[in-house]
Structure formats: structure tokens, C-alpha cells
Amino acid sequence: MPVGAFGGRRTIMEKIAPLGPVYQAGTLSGNPVAVAAGLATLAETAAPGFYDRLAGKTRAMTDGLEAAAKRAGVPFCADAVGGMFGIYFAPRVPQTYAEIMACDKERFNRFFHLMLDAGVYLAPSAYEAGFVSAAHGDAEIAATTAAAAAAFAAIR
């Protein structure tokens, strides 16, 4: 659900209506459904172990992608922190600008389109991060790695 918020020092915020003369409005301002979704999300993320579980899901997916690439003989690696991951068509995770520029961008493009054709939407640029969410489970991770295995086999 889309939602936004802003804040500031009390002296500034007291200028906003109804306390002050500045009117603020927006499409979703005060939307009860968007706010309820935001509050529910905050409650989920505050649950003990939430971020550890999210990081575990992300690592399971990147490990699965790496294993599928290795079986296909495709130079590939991945890195993950929390729910964020990066994939690289390179033998190891790039550490410098020169190393990232040396990644196989053509192979990434072919992989991206094969994954998209299989119903898996990844970030469309070789330079963008991907994200796993709390909604992703074992079935989604398995489907993603299965699609990747087929894609890696096709781009050897």
C-alpha cells in the first residue's frame, strides 16, 4: 500500500493545519487503509526474529541461484544483506567500479528476459539491487531457483 509521511521540528510542524495556517493535502493523506497497512507492517517488522528470518530467506535464494549457475557452468555470484541482494555474472562479487564494469552485462540481459518469461521479475539492470520480502516463502524461492536453473542452462 502506498503511504508517505513527513515530520520536522515541533515549531515547524505546528505551522501545519489544523494548528497553523499551512494547509497540507495529498492523494493518500489520512487514508485509513494505507495507514492501517503501514501500522500492520511496522508491527510485523517489530516481531522478534523478523529480520533474521528475512535475511535467511534472502540467503536461501542467493545460495540457490549460485548453485544453479554452478551446475550450468555459468560464471555467477550473488551477495545479500538482510532482504537486499545483488547478482553478478562474474566469478566473484565485484569490489570496485572496474570489477562491476567487467561483469557480463549481455548474459545478465539474456538471463533477465528468460526469468521474466518464466514469471520472475528481477530488477531490469545489472546494477540494481533486488529485494526479498516477508511475503516470499519457500515455494517462491524454489520457483525462482527452478526458473533460474532453466535460464542458466539456456545462456551457458
Side-chain angles (χ1 to χ4, degrees), residues 45-123:
T45 61
F50 173 86
Y51 289 101
D52 289 336
R53 287 189 302 278
L54 180 61
K57 291 177 187 187
T58 307
R59 183 49 65 193
M61 191 188 71
T62 56
D63 287 351
L65 294 174
E66 287 180 329
K70 185 175 182 179
R71 285 190 303 274
V74 174
F76 176 88
C77 61
D79 198 15
V81 176
M84 186 169 73
F85 66 92
I87 60 173
Y88 312 96
F89 283 86
R92 63 184 172 81
V93 175
Q95 301 296 311
T96 66
Y97 177 75
E99 289 175 355
I100 196 74
M101 294 311 292
C103 291
D104 191 338
K105 289 166 279 308
E106 267 309 305
R107 192 171 264 163
F108 170 85
N109 287 337
R110 293 190 341 253
F111 178 77
F112 168 80
H113 286 287
L114 288 167
M115 293 295 281
L116 190 59
D117 290 345
V120 178
Y121 183 76
L122 299 169

